[in-house]
Amino acid sequence: MTKPKIHTMKELSRAISISRPTLARYFEDETSVLPSTAKKIKDRLSEVDYVYNFLATRQNRKSTDLIGVVVPHFEDLFFASLLGSIETAARAAGFTIITQSSHGDAESEEKAIRKLRSMNVDGAIIAPLGSNKNLEIFKAANEDFPIIFADSYPGTDSSTADFVGTDNSSSVGIMVDYLCRTGEPPVFLAMPQLTSNALERQNAYFQQMEKQGHHARLVETPEGMELWEFEQYGLEVMGNHFSHGRHVTDTILCANDRIAIGAIRAANTHGLFFDQDGKTHGALRIAGHDDHPLSRFIFPAVTTVKQEINEIGRGTVELLLKRIREGRQGDSIKILRDGALIIRESA
Amino acid sequence: MTKPKIHTMKELSRAISISRPTLARYFEDETSVLPSTAKKIKDRLSEVDYVYNFLATRQNRKSTDLIGVVVPHFEDLFFASLLGSIETAARAAGFTIITQSSHGDAESEEKAIRKLRSMNVDGAIIAPLGSNKNLEIFKAANEDFPIIFADSYPGTDSSTADFVGTDNSSSVGIMVDYLCRTGEPPVFLAMPQLTSNALERQNAYFQQMEKQGHHARLVETPEGMELWEFEQYGLEVMGNHFSHGRHVTDTILCANDRIAIGAIRAANTHGLFFDQDGKTHGALRIAGHDDHPLSRFIFPAVTTVKQEINEIGRGTVELLLKRIREGRQGDSIKILRDGALIIRESA
């Protein structure tokens, strides 16, 4: 015997004699009704052929309960962790996330934003590329729904954007201060200029070195290495310096841990970290920034500044929900989190 | 002057005198119309207030052009890379992915599946947890839309599922064979039993060792360490063995690279990898499986078997699209890919 086909929640309510509001709550979130009610509904649903239609229920509402998330790459544990914490916070608030990668490419980023607009998301959290190319796209999208920028700013002008991220001047400052207190002042190995963090962290390094009365120096980097493969970047740049005996210093501060991991690999292959007895002699120091999940498993483990990724993820969702509820009147809101110094073995 | 508000594509077609089919194609994918047409549409759109409604257009169709993707964790570069390749392939085919993490938890996995059903996805790609808990849930969902399992099987029975992943018996076999040919036969450090790969790789190790006429041995692992933090697992298990001088062998095959990275960290902290002169003496050998993106930056770099993640990602999307087009009649389809031996420094 085939089950009776039921098309609308109204029909369903009549067929299994459960009130529509209760059914609606149940389909949104089973845990929002009494367990006994949930069980009763489940049992009776098994006797009919009905599929709850999320899109249909959203169609006649202002809200889709969808949040768009765009990151430059999934294949970066920083963004993957950010995505994880955003998804957890969004789900807890009853939202579903639509995730798009911009694949580090401005055109893909534009496509991703257009997709989010076409899906009528209630809001979006975007970890943007550094380029200025999509500022107009963001502006246009921002007229449809609130956008919170996470981790970095689009382009260079941060004035109008809602933002949640790390206070680079504080986090880099802490590390420069630590390195200067405990040894030779650091030379800075900058990130490829792919996001606003690259310039912010470099400037933060210059400011703190000046404050400490030290001469700031950048590690020379070859042209045309605007890689997202940061470990490879750190490995090639420092490998090149080490193999020419040109390591201008014994203390290198890398703009992020992925670069530091590559630089540490380069130092290890040149035997620069270990004495004859296999212990680090402590002359060469390489520090990073972010506290990448694998940094403590590298040998020597990476001394770094921890970014509170989970706090940043939760913070972006909270701020976005506030904007969705209250609209975007008033000034932009910036939530800058401090980093925490984590001293391990590499510096 | 405020722009005229336009609600339907029909009104829009009249207002800016572009045919509806052309507009429909444009909104689905700008690149599907002539650049000149796209520009004309863009210009005229700027003079009206119209927002294309993805949900509305999907409402009256059988297809939503949505593909659901569920992975155990975003914060694992294997799954993050898989997600990236799936998103790229799906986007190229005109589909949007709805990404959910099961956070390594059967209940979250069930919630994720229910969400995908409620959103009427056209199909789903699932990297499932090993537990048998959700077999019924998968079965029920599979009546609404095709499901392709990626990387591992749900529970233990793989007979009925469409599947794309690595042929563990071949990939582990290659590594066991290499290790036996080049030195002492390996002891196996298994994965926590969190997915079907854990048992499959362990069995593959036993089979190959028997085939080679060697005695198979597992590294003892403490109870209650069913961690997803595989590096931590490898570090603790091997750190414990090394600190008790109980490393039963000089050749350890780890069930995946993340475990190997932890084990290599443990060996380095015990000075087991390097001679007085800082070179690897080659006595201790630690190998992995997967070719984790960071494996080549570890020191010593991890000798491993490469899983073709991009091929697996593209393959799951291709198979899913076939199932969406042709339905699910006929036997289940399994696509098993071989791994490729990658010899680096650690073994």
Side-chain angles (χ1 to χ4, degrees), chain A residues 30 53-54 56 59 80 87-88 91 96 98 101 103 114-115 118 120 232 265 276 296 298 345, chain B residues 30 53-54 56 59 74 80 87-88 91 96 98 101 103 114-115 118 120 232 265 276 296 298 345:
Chain A
E30 278 192 19
N53 186 326
F54 179 91
Q59 229 320 9
E87 195 241 13
T88 304
R91 181 189 291 191
T96 303
I98 307 278
S101 167
H103 302 275
R114 196 184 308 129
K115 172 65 72 176
S118 74
N120 290 4
Q232 186 61 29
R265 161 84 191 165
Q276 299 303 25
R296 61 201 177 91
I298 300 299
E345 302 159 348
Chain B
E30 279 193 17
N53 186 326
F54 179 92
Q59 227 326 328
F74 297 133
E87 194 242 14
T88 303
R91 182 190 292 192
T96 303
I98 307 277
S101 167
H103 302 276
R114 196 184 307 128
K115 172 65 71 177
S118 74
N120 291 3
Q232 186 61 30
R265 160 84 192 165
Q276 299 304 28
R296 62 201 176 93
I298 300 300
E345 302 159 347

Side-chain angles (χ1 to χ4, degrees), chain A residues 5 21 60 92 123 168-169 211 214 235 290 295 318:
Chain A
K5 179 80 189 156
N60 309 318
N168 286 310
S169 76
K211 206 165 134 201
H214 294 300
L235 175 62
D290 290 356
S295 291
E318 278 168 13

Side-chain angles (χ1 to χ4, degrees), chain B residues 213-251:
Chain B
H214 295 300
H215 175 52
R217 287 178 303 171
L218 297 179
V219 174
E220 279 171 55
T221 55
E223 288 300 312
M225 278 195 72
E226 297 304 275
L227 299 174
W228 277 96
E229 291 74 33
F230 297 128
E231 296 87 1
Q232 186 61 30
Y233 174 84
L235 176 62
E236 287 186 24
V237 171
M238 292 318 300
N240 191 310
H241 282 269
F242 293 145
S243 57
H244 293 75
R246 285 199 273 103
H247 73 283
V248 288
T249 174
D250 278 331
T251 304

Side-chain angles (χ1 to χ4, degrees), chain B residues 24-335:
Chain B
R25 285 213 313 287
Y26 170 85
F27 285 117
E28 285 301 313
D29 174 10
E30 279 193 17
T31 62
S32 67
V33 302
L34 291 171
S36 56
T37 313
K39 183 174 184 327
K40 197 199 297 175
I41 295 174
K42 226 180 235 155
D43 295 343
R44 297 185 184 174
L45 280 177
S46 67
E47 292 153 16
V48 297
D49 177 6
Y50 172 79
V51 175
Y52 172 68
N53 186 326
F54 179 92
L55 303 188
T57 58
R58 294 304 183 282
Q59 227 326 328
N60 308 318
R61 287 199 207 172
K62 254 185 130 307
S63 160
T64 55
D65 293 345
L66 296 174
I67 289 177
V69 181
V70 183
V71 296
H73 288 281
F74 297 133
E75 306 86 341
D76 178 315
L77 281 180
F78 176 85
F79 293 120
S81 305
L82 184 66
L83 185 56
S85 58
I86 288 171
E87 194 242 14
T88 303
R91 182 190 292 192
F95 286 79
T96 303
I97 64 170
I98 307 277
T99 315
Q100 308 262 303
S101 167
S102 58
H103 302 276
D105 163 63
E107 198 180 309
S108 295
E109 190 179 53
E110 177 181 356
K111 275 212 163 96
I113 304 303
R114 196 184 307 128
K115 172 65 71 177
L116 296 185
R117 293 188 76 184
S118 74
M119 295 192 75
N120 291 3
V121 294
D122 290 347
I125 295 168
I126 299 172
L129 304 176
S131 101
N132 286 305
K133 290 207 189 96
N134 291 332
L135 293 181
E136 284 309 310
I137 307 290
F138 291 135
K139 205 156 156 244
N142 202 206
E143 283 163 20
D144 293 352
F145 50 77
I147 294 176
I148 311 297
F149 290 102
D151 178 53
S152 69
Y153 301 109
T156 44
D157 174 24
S158 61
S159 53
T160 61
D162 287 336
F163 176 80
V164 181
T166 294
D167 182 340
N168 285 310
S169 76
S170 144
S171 60
V172 173
I174 292 169
M175 179 57 82
V176 171
D177 175 63
Y178 164 73
L179 292 171
C180 291
R181 270 191 289 108
T182 53
E184 185 196 33
V187 168
F188 191 71
L189 175 49
M191 289 164 75
Q193 304 290 321
L194 296 165
T195 73
S196 63
N197 287 324
L199 198 57
E200 272 195 18
R201 289 181 194 171
Q202 183 170 319
N203 292 340
Y205 163 77
F206 278 110
Q207 283 161 21
Q208 189 63 21
M209 287 293 276
E210 190 178 355
K211 204 164 137 203
Q212 304 258 339
H214 295 300
H215 175 52
R217 287 178 303 171
L218 297 179
V219 174
E220 279 171 55
T221 55
E223 288 300 312
M225 278 195 72
E226 297 304 275
L227 299 174
W228 277 96
E229 291 74 33
F230 297 128
E231 296 87 1
Q232 186 61 30
Y233 174 84
L235 176 62
E236 287 186 24
V237 171
M238 292 318 300
N240 191 310
H241 282 269
F242 293 145
S243 57
H244 293 75
R246 285 199 273 103
H247 73 283
V248 288
T249 174
D250 278 331
T251 304
I252 301 150
L253 173 54
C254 302
N256 69 36
D257 278 4
R258 293 184 58 194
I259 293 172
I261 287 169
I264 287 172
R265 160 84 192 165
N268 275 324
T269 53
H270 285 78
L272 296 174
F273 256 120
F274 299 98
D275 277 341
Q276 299 304 28
D277 61 3
K279 301 260 164 289
T280 59
H281 50 52
L284 179 64
R285 303 190 301 166
I286 297 178
H289 185 289
D290 290 358
D291 193 24
H292 185 284
L294 262 63
S295 291
R296 62 201 176 93
F297 298 102
I298 300 300
F299 191 72
V302 185
T303 291
T304 188
V305 185
K306 180 180 178 56
Q307 291 206 70
E308 298 293 349
I309 301 184
N310 289 337
E311 304 305 317
I312 292 171
R314 196 177 316 125
T316 52
V317 173
E318 279 169 13
L319 181 52
L320 182 60
L321 296 184
K322 172 185 162 64
R323 289 305 201 187
I324 290 172
R325 279 194 313 270
E326 304 169 12
R328 274 153 297 144
Q329 73 281 52
D331 298 341
S332 67
I333 298 177
K334 318 242 179 275
I335 300 173

Side-chain angles (χ1 to χ4, degrees), chain A residues 260-279:
Chain A
I261 287 169
I264 287 171
R265 161 84 191 165
N268 276 324
T269 54
H270 286 79
L272 295 175
F273 257 120
F274 300 98
D275 277 341
Q276 299 303 25
D277 61 5
K279 302 258 163 293

Side-chain angles (χ1 to χ4, degrees), chain A residues 284-313:
Chain A
L284 178 64
R285 302 189 301 166
I286 298 179
H289 186 289
D290 290 356
D291 193 26
H292 185 284
L294 263 63
S295 291
R296 61 201 177 91
F297 298 103
I298 300 299
F299 190 72
V302 186
T303 291
T304 187
V305 186
K306 180 181 178 56
Q307 291 206 71
E308 299 292 350
I309 301 184
N310 289 337
E311 304 306 316
I312 292 171

